[in-house]
Amino acid sequence: MAEGAREARVGLWNGFAAYGMWGLFPLFWPLLEPAGAADILANRMVWSLVAVGAMLLVRRRWAWIRPLLRQPRRLGMLALAAATVSVNWGVYIWGVNSGHVVETSLGYFINPLVTIAFGVLVLRERLRPAQWAAVGVGTAAVLVLTVAYGRPPWIALTLAFSFATYGLLKKKVGLGGAESLAVESAVMFPFALAFLVYLGVRGEGTFGHGWGHSALLVLSGAITAVPLMCFGAAALRVPLTTLGLLQYLAPVSQFLIGVAVFHETMAPARWAGFALVWVALLVLSGDALRRIRVERRRAPVLEAVAG
């Protein structure tokens, strides 16, 4: 029992670490200026492969490669996942460095609602009434924010839909976090490296222009890989419902950074839209917690019947 409690604590701290680091990302990407979003994205892809390859080398985890190479369908889905997460990373970096930190945080607030919608539309899952209510309130929030911004919040929607698609593909592939990132980075590596060479030839690349700047670009690989490793450790040790609640730490941190650090303006209509999103997430979280309590009460009864 003590061992189980210790493992749960380790998992919880890893979850806090993963989402805590993701929540601080808006403070890191502006440090890479004057590099543009495409330059930063390409460097992130290249150095992510180096970082995750080093981690797998230290842990000697290579046995999964040969069986995977004999499964073209899984490889195809991983290639699609790589393209999807590239869109997510690129839009996120551009959004943060263009002064839209608050809207990028909105994308990750909306993401759980989009994931639920995908469950219905793609996986044919059946929603409980509270989940339907949360999706409805979330849809109303997007409409309010469209009016508030004078346009659809396309940065937030792109981030939410791309990450939900990425999660769906990862679920179907069923590969560990580090291994999956290694394959995804390997898929995008030749394109990213070719783009960096192209920028270098044109004199537009920023890698090599100062040791400090180059070190930060290299660090982007570790900053990508380390939270994912922490997330993988958490996913093995704590229930997914706990991870589902922890995931709100990242967008909350990003929202606070956007308002308090970058002083982005929040008109009353935007506050109203965000408030609706938060109401939807509270409904969703409350329903998940009620579901946990019901299952815990039901478990001893089922065990007694089975015995």
Side-chain angles (χ1 to χ4, degrees), residues 2-59:
E3 180 66 20
R6 190 185 72 82
E7 284 291 295
R9 279 197 302 273
V10 170
L12 197 59
W13 281 114
N14 272 283
F16 275 118
Y19 286 110
M21 284 184 275
W22 282 328
L24 295 176
F25 268 17
L27 297 175
F28 178 73
W29 303 118
L31 299 178
L32 301 182
E33 294 178 345
D39 190 4
I40 295 171
L41 177 62
N43 272 283
R44 186 181 186 184
M45 291 173 180
V46 168
W47 298 113
S48 291
L49 180 60
V50 174
V52 76
M55 291 178 181
L56 291 173
L57 182 63
V58 169
R59 299 169 70 175

Side-chain angles (χ1 to χ4, degrees), residues 73-95:
R73 184 171 179 273
R74 290 179 81 198
L75 283 172
M77 284 193 290
L78 282 169
L80 187 56
T84 305
V85 81
S86 298
V87 171
N88 183 272
W89 288 357
V91 172
Y92 182 79
I93 293 168
W94 181 87

Side-chain angles (χ1 to χ4, degrees), residues 9-254:
R9 279 197 302 273
V10 170
L12 197 59
W13 281 114
N14 272 283
F16 275 118
Y19 286 110
M21 284 184 275
W22 282 328
L24 295 176
F25 268 17
L27 297 175
F28 178 73
W29 303 118
L31 299 178
L32 301 182
E33 294 178 345
D39 190 4
I40 295 171
L41 177 62
N43 272 283
R44 186 181 186 184
M45 291 173 180
V46 168
W47 298 113
S48 291
L49 180 60
V50 174
V52 76
M55 291 178 181
L56 291 173
L57 182 63
V58 169
R59 299 169 70 175
R60 298 181 180 179
R61 292 172 59 175
W62 305 108
W64 54 274
I65 296 178
R66 188 171 294 175
L68 181 63
L69 292 176
R70 294 196 292 266
Q71 298 173 294
R73 184 171 179 273
R74 290 179 81 198
L75 283 172
M77 284 193 290
L78 282 169
L80 187 56
T84 305
V85 81
S86 298
V87 171
N88 183 272
W89 288 357
V91 172
Y92 182 79
I93 293 168
W94 181 87
V96 168
N97 286 4
S98 300
H100 299 285
V101 175
V102 169
E103 191 175 345
T104 62
S105 76
L106 175 64
Y108 294 105
F109 280 126
I110 295 175
N111 175 250
L113 302 173
V114 177
T115 299
I116 288 175
F118 276 15
V120 174
L121 298 173
V122 180
L123 302 179
R124 304 298 180 186
E125 295 176 358
R126 304 184 73 175
L127 296 189
R128 297 185 292 275
Q131 292 175 312
W132 276 117
V135 172
V137 174
T139 302
V142 172
L143 294 176
V144 170
L145 287 164
T146 298
V147 174
Y149 279 101
R151 58 170 174 80
W154 69 267
I155 297 173
L157 292 173
T158 302
L159 291 174
F161 276 87
S162 61
F163 201 74
T165 303
Y166 179 65
L168 180 65
L169 290 167
K170 297 265 279 189
K171 181 179 178 66
K172 287 183 174 293
V173 171
L175 195 63
E179 294 85 351
S180 180
L181 179 62
V183 177
E184 292 156 18
S185 301
V187 168
M188 300 310 296
F189 179 85
F191 303 102
L193 185 61
F195 182 69
L196 290 178
V197 171
Y198 168 77
L199 289 180
V201 170
R202 290 175 58 90
E204 297 173 1
T206 59
F207 184 79
H209 292 190
W211 286 104
H213 180 73
S214 298
L216 286 172
L217 288 172
V218 172
L219 186 60
S220 68
I223 282 178
T224 299
V226 171
L228 189 65
M229 299 292 284
C230 291
F231 175 80
L236 291 173
R237 293 174 173 85
V238 299
L240 285 178
T241 47
T242 303
L243 278 182
L245 295 175
L246 284 177
Q247 74 175 320
Y248 301 137
L249 290 175
V252 165
S253 297
Q254 292 165 6

